[in-house]
């Protein structure tokens, strides 16, 4: 039961660059938490803070209730898989996996048993005598994971473990990690830029921006109920459409949204007092929640179409805002054609001036 | 065309060495007749250098001094490079610049200071004094080369080892050192050559013929009488002391080339 908790943790590099302003975060025990966020937002830094590879400037980090803020990496019960794999180039696969156990002064017998057990799980048996340079990318990645597993960690940290692999291999490895995860009794923290990895592997996703947690929750909650424009735009591919709009009228907590590119107004339930009539607002709607139907709310002008076999993407605009539609394969459209779009009412998001999502989700 | 160029350059650089071999095999009386091919093989030059002075002892001194210089220099160099490349501390850049600056002083400038130092440590006229003083020119480039090399080792490799529980010492000797083989060979060989050929310190810090190293011994070879030219013997001695260097370079040739280009391209 190794919950990882950040309490008011601050990280300042070389006395001046604040990367993590003040973070409070609770990563549930034995669950897999994925960190996502733009490049440079501090994902790797957070992992290194958990690992103890970077000093915590201020605050407290606990693992399973134990304060590890000042504990050395080896005493934290963690293991880490690095983006570059970081295998020891001069050691064989066996030696790579045995290294930590040798340092911990395990007996030869114990080391052999443990390594071969992990090698069996990861199907590394035939590779044990090879050097890393004699392995393919996928095999190296498996060795890196194996090296971490051998240590039987309470907390398993993975920093973009699949980003160096090609697309097909990435899918295989993703499934493999999902399997390992089921058999492993450890808290996992996983950094990725890949939407699919985040959505499929995570129990919880933490969306970070500039060292600040924007939202934390299960993948589908983040997808369906983003708290602000940043989170809404970050997850989902292609990303959510944001359409400039105006509040035409307010009646209790129901607002009518209209504006340029609207064929008729769109009703939405928002938090009380979020808007008054005439306010500017941003309508958020994902490409997959728009359909080409007559008598829709939006007037869409096409510019480009991509046929992807199982679905099609149509790029264009609504009023002055860019807009993308994801549909089942359709006929080809000419550029500049005008289409009527129907909005799936229960997937509408409305952002106020401070880019907060003010839509009321209760009905969903 | 390129081949012609290669031949000209090799001929130009190898000719003096060839000339030395030819001269060493000549009879002293025919020394100044120009011959491009030794007419008769005359080994007397080689035997006489061992008779007229303790040349064997001199060679032994040189081996001792050069080897100990290399070992000490690599030991200190590796430790220094590790901290300079991997530990963040204030004034690191300044320290590196200072180390480089030390190597820029002409030897003569530090000669008298070094002499006092060696003498006060009781190392005058011994190989220990030479080893110590040679550090002043072998250490700077050793530290620089090794620091540069260590910087190129990926940070994540060190972090992986730390997570695995390795101490700094373990990281250094179980992870870094095995990867640094080529650069250790390169810097070690350069130090060896520098120490082997050094003349000025060796001349100043030794007194007796028994304590001399080879370059000094050669420099002080004189004729049996003032009418006899020692040229043949000087050449013979030079050939003898160059051979070990050539052998060493040939042995380590592969590692030197890979050492000098290591990290030039990403793997
Ligand atoms: N040792 C360091 N000294 C100073 N600044 C650093 C150091 N390490 C990282 N940074 C800075 O901290 C910020 C966050 O870095 P971090 O590696 O955590 O980002 P990240 O979210 O992992 O990005 P990416 O997705 O590109 O991996 C970056 O702006 C980076 O430049
Ligand atoms: Mg990162």
């Amino acid at each position: 039961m190794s919950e990882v908790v950040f309490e008011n943790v601050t990280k300042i590099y070389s006395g001046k660059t604040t990367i993590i302003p003040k973070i409070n975060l609770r990563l549930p025990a034995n669950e897999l938490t994925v960190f996502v966020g733009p490049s440079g937002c501090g994902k790797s830094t957070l992992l290194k803070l958990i690992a103890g590879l970077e000093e915590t400037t201020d605050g407290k980090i606990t693992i399973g209730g134990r304060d590890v803020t000042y504990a050395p990496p080896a005493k934290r019960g963690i293991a880490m898989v690095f983006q570059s794999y970081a295998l020891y180039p001069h050691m064989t696969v066996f030696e790579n996996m045995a290294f930590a156990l040798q340092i911990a002064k395990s007996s030869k017998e114990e080391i052999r048993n443990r390594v071969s057990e992990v090698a069996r799980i990861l199907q590394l048996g035939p590779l044990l005598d090879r050097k890393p340079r004699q392995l393919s990318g996928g095999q190296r990645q498996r060795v890196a994971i194996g090296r971490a597993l051998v240590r039987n960690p309470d907390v398993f940290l993975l920093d973009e473990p699949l980003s160096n692999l090609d697309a097909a291999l990435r899918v295989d490895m993703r499934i493999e990690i999902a399997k390992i995860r089921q058999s492993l009794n450890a808290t996992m923290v996983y950094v990725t830029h890949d939407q699919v990895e985040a959505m499929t592997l995570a129990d919880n996703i933490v969306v970070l921006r500039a060292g600040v947690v924007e939202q934390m929750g299960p993948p589908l909650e983040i997808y369906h109920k983003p708290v602000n424009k940043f989170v809404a735009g970050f997850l989902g591919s292609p990303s959510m459409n944001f359409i400039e709009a105006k509040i035409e009228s307010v009646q209790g907590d129901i607002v009518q949204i209209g504006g340029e590119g609207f064929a008729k107004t769109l009703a939405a339930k928002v938090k009380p007092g979020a808007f008054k009539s005439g306010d500017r607002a941003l309508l958020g709607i994902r490409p997959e929640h728009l359909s080409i139907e007559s008598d829709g709310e939006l007037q869409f002008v096409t510019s480009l179409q991509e046929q992807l076999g199982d679905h099609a993407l149509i790029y264009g605009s609504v009023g002055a805002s860019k807009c993308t539609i994801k549909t089942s394969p359709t006929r080809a459209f000419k550029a500049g054609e005008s289409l009527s779009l129907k909005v799936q009412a229960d997937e509408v998001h409305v952002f106020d001036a401070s880019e907060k999502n003010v839509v009321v989700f209760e009905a969903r | 065309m390129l081949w012609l160029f290669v031949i000209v350059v090799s001929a130009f650089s190898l000719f003096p060495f060839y000339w030395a071999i030819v001269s060493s095999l000549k009879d002293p009386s025919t020394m100044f007749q120009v011959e491009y091919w030794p007419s008769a093989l005359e080994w007397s030059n080689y035997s006489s250098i061992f008779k007229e002075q303790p040349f064997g002892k001199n060679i032994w001194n040189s081996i001792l001094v050069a080897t100990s210089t290399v070992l000490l220099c690599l030991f200190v160099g590796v430790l220094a490079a590790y901290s300079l490349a991997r530990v963040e501390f204030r004034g690191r850049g300044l320290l590196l610049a200072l180390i480089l600056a030390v190597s820029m002083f002409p030897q003569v400038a530090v000669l008298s200071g070094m002499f006092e130092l060696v003498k006060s440590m009781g190392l005058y006229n011994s190989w220990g004094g030479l080893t110590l003083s040679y550090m002043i020119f072998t250490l700077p480039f050793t530290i620089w080369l090794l620091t540069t090399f260590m910087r190129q080792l990926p940070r994540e490799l060190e972090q992986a080892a730390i997570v695995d529980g390795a101490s700094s010492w373990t990281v250094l000797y179980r992870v870094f050192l095995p990867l640094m083989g080529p650069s250790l060979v390169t810097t070690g060989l350069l130090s060896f050559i520098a120490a082997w050929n050094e003349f000025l310190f060796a001349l100043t810090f030794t007194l007796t013929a028994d304590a001399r190293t080879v370059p000094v011994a050669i420099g002080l070879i004189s004729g049996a009488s003032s009418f006899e030219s020692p040229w043949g013997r000087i050449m013979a001695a030079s050939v003898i002391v160059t051979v070990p260097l050539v052998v060493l370079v040939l042995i380590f040739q592969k590692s030197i080339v890979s050492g000098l280009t290591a990290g030039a391209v990403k793997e």
Side-chain angles (χ1 to χ4, degrees):
Chain A
M1 290 292 109
S2 297
E3 189 185 41
V4 178
V5 181
F6 287 84
E7 280 177 39
N8 299 323
V9 169
T10 307
K11 176 65 191 173
I12 302 174
Y13 274 119
S14 34
K16 43 184 187 291
T17 342
T18 307
I19 300 302
I20 311 290
K22 190 175 221 186
I23 205 165
N24 282 293
L25 200 55
R26 187 172 289 271
L27 312 179
N30 295 347
E31 291 193 4
L32 190 149
T33 305
V34 168
F35 287 168
V36 294
S39 197
C41 70
K43 306 181 292 291
S44 300
T45 303
L46 283 177
L47 279 203
K48 286 180 191 157
L49 288 174
I50 300 175
L53 290 170
E54 289 289 350
E55 270 175 41
T56 308
T57 311
D58 197 15
K60 188 166 127 182
I61 298 175
T62 63
I63 295 178
R66 190 165 62 95
D67 186 346
V68 296
T69 317
Y70 301 103
K75 297 269 155 61
R76 296 187 179 205
I78 53 116
M80 186 155 177
V81 175
F82 294 87
Q83 181 175 356
S84 65
Y85 317 138
L87 299 176
Y88 311 122
H90 56 294
M91 298 184 196
T92 63
V93 170
F94 180 89
E95 289 163 342
N96 263 282
M97 299 212 282
F99 188 68
L101 299 178
Q102 285 170 359
I103 290 177
K105 302 242 181 324
S106 305
S107 72
K108 280 227 165 64
E109 170 96 33
E110 217 175 303
I111 293 176
R112 209 168 328 110
N113 289 343
R114 185 76 191 123
V115 171
S116 44
E117 187 191 333
V118 171
R120 191 178 44 75
I121 298 173
L122 292 168
Q123 292 145 34
L124 289 172
L127 307 177
L128 284 179
D129 291 328
R130 296 217 200 149
K131 296 273 177 68
R133 65 168 176 281
Q134 299 164 313
L135 302 175
S136 70
Q139 291 169 334
R140 284 180 206 178
Q141 186 55 67
R142 288 220 298 280
V143 176
I145 292 174
R147 185 174 64 179
L149 285 180
V150 161
R151 307 185 46 220
N152 228 337
D154 300 327
V155 181
F156 198 179
L157 309 168
L158 302 105
D159 195 351
E160 306 193 34
L162 307 186
S163 62
N164 281 350
L165 302 179
D166 62 48
L169 208 50
R170 196 142 43 170
V171 175
D172 292 347
M173 283 306 296
R174 193 181 76 218
I175 293 167
E176 199 140 334
I177 289 181
K179 279 192 212 146
I180 292 171
R181 153 153 176 53
Q182 282 166 359
S183 63
L184 194 67
N185 209 15
T187 306
M188 292 174 83
V189 190
Y190 191 107
V191 172
T192 183
H193 276 124
D194 186 299
Q195 303 255 345
V196 185
E197 281 171 36
M199 294 301 287
T200 55
L201 290 176
D203 294 307
N204 284 293
I205 293 181
V206 176
V207 184
L208 292 157
R209 170 162 62 168
V212 175
V213 177
E214 294 287 325
Q215 188 171 0
M216 173 169 177
L220 289 180
E221 185 180 309
I222 304 263
Y223 176 84
H224 288 293
K225 303 177 180 178
V227 297
N228 59 28
K229 184 185 168 203
F230 177 82
V231 175
F234 198 82
L235 275 183
S237 167
S239 58
M240 187 185 279
N241 297 305
F242 298 107
I243 293 162
E244 302 274 359
K246 208 173 83 192
I247 304 299
E248 299 286 356
S249 66
V250 181
Q251 239 163 26
D253 46 9
I254 305 290
V255 293
Q256 297 292 334
I257 307 167
E260 198 190 346
F262 283 72
K264 54 187 173 190
T265 60
L266 184 72
K269 186 173 179 190
V270 300
K271 290 179 183 132
F275 292 114
K276 50 186 196 306
S277 183
D279 277 353
R280 299 171 60 79
L282 213 51
L283 170 70
I285 182 83
R286 295 193 185 274
E288 53 269 41
H289 298 141
L290 288 169
S291 50
I292 305 169
E293 275 173 51
S294 55
D295 202 24
E297 296 89 351
L298 299 178
Q299 211 56 47
F300 177 80
V301 181
T302 59
S303 64
L304 185 80
Q305 187 175 15
E306 283 177 350
Q307 298 282 10
L308 291 140
D310 61 336
H311 68 273
L313 296 176
I314 308 168
Y315 302 96
S317 55
V318 169
S321 313
K322 270 193 280 179
C323 184
T324 305
I325 318 169
K326 185 175 177 183
T327 68
S328 45
T330 61
R331 70 171 174 91
F333 294 101
K334 286 198 289 291
E337 230 175 294
S338 188
L339 305 173
S340 165
L341 294 187
K342 187 141 186 61
V343 173
Q344 195 176 321
D346 58 357
E347 292 289 353
V348 163
H349 304 271
V350 185
F351 303 96
D352 66 8
S354 61
E355 301 194 334
K356 272 205 195 60
N357 195 353
V358 289
V359 122
V360 174
F361 295 117
E362 282 158 15
R364 300 183 178 175
Chain B
M1 188 57 209
L2 192 66
W3 278 109
L4 198 67
F5 186 70
V6 170
I7 290 169
V8 170
V9 170
S10 341
F12 191 74
S13 47
L14 287 179
F15 182 73
F17 192 61
Y18 174 71
W19 190 248
I21 296 177
V22 171
S23 308
S24 71
L25 292 170
K26 280 195 228 169
D27 187 274
S29 55
T30 63
M31 183 54 64
F32 293 104
Q33 293 165 13
V34 177
E35 281 176 52
Y36 292 101
W37 191 251
S39 46
L41 293 185
E42 176 63 59
W43 295 98
S44 66
N45 285 324
Y46 284 87
S47 53
S48 65
I49 46 173
F50 285 96
K51 270 184 236 138
E52 284 159 28
Q53 68 238 46
F55 200 64
K57 181 78 167 65
N58 296 149
I59 292 179
W60 172 244
N61 286 341
S62 274
I63 292 175
L64 204 60
V65 169
T67 311
S68 59
T69 301
V70 168
L71 293 181
L72 188 61
C73 183
L74 286 183
F75 180 72
V76 177
V78 162
L79 292 183
Y82 183 63
S83 37
L84 285 167
R86 290 302 181 174
V87 184
E88 298 211 2
F89 55 89
R90 281 167 81 105
R92 183 165 67 164
L94 187 73
L95 194 61
L96 265 172
L98 214 65
I99 291 172
L100 194 62
V102 167
S103 65
M104 288 173 186
F105 283 108
Q107 260 188 309
V108 198
V110 293
L111 193 62
S112 62
M114 199 46 112
F115 183 77
E116 292 303 325
L117 191 70
V118 166
K119 220 169 165 182
S120 70
M121 292 175 80
L123 293 173
Y124 181 65
N125 202 30
S126 76
W127 62 270
L130 293 183
T131 300
L132 188 73
S133 59
Y134 288 175
M135 290 293 122
I136 203 167
F137 52 85
T138 56
L139 262 186
F141 75 79
T142 302
I143 293 178
W144 264 81
L145 274 171
L146 294 182
T147 304
T148 312
F149 189 82
M150 256 198 229
R151 282 219 177 123
Q152 288 165 348
L153 294 173
R155 176 124 233 156
E156 290 195 341
L157 205 56
E158 184 185 13
Q159 292 179 329
I162 293 173
V163 169
D164 274 348
S167 60
S168 299
W169 187 245
T170 312
V171 172
L172 186 61
Y173 85 96
R174 297 261 330 247
V175 180
F176 282 179
L177 273 190
L179 296 176
M180 289 177 64
S183 64
L184 292 178
V185 169
T186 309
T187 48
L189 207 59
L190 289 175
S191 312
F192 190 91
I193 294 172
W196 185 264
N197 288 331
E198 204 281 337
F199 180 76
L200 187 61
F201 285 177
L203 178 68
T204 317
F205 301 156
T206 57
L207 185 65
T208 55
D210 267 350
R212 282 177 197 146
T213 57
V214 167
V216 180
I218 294 177
L220 298 181
I221 289 178
S222 54
S225 69
S226 49
F227 300 105
E228 196 193 355
S229 147
W231 204 242
R233 272 174 292 138
I234 292 180
M235 285 304 165
S238 308
V239 171
I240 291 177
V241 301
T242 315
V243 168
L245 292 189
V246 173
V247 171
L248 274 183
V249 170
L250 288 180
I251 291 175
F252 291 116
Q253 198 179 25
K254 262 209 175 119
S255 334
I256 296 174
V257 174
S258 60
L260 290 174
T261 58
V265 282
K266 215 170 173 192
E267 283 193 43

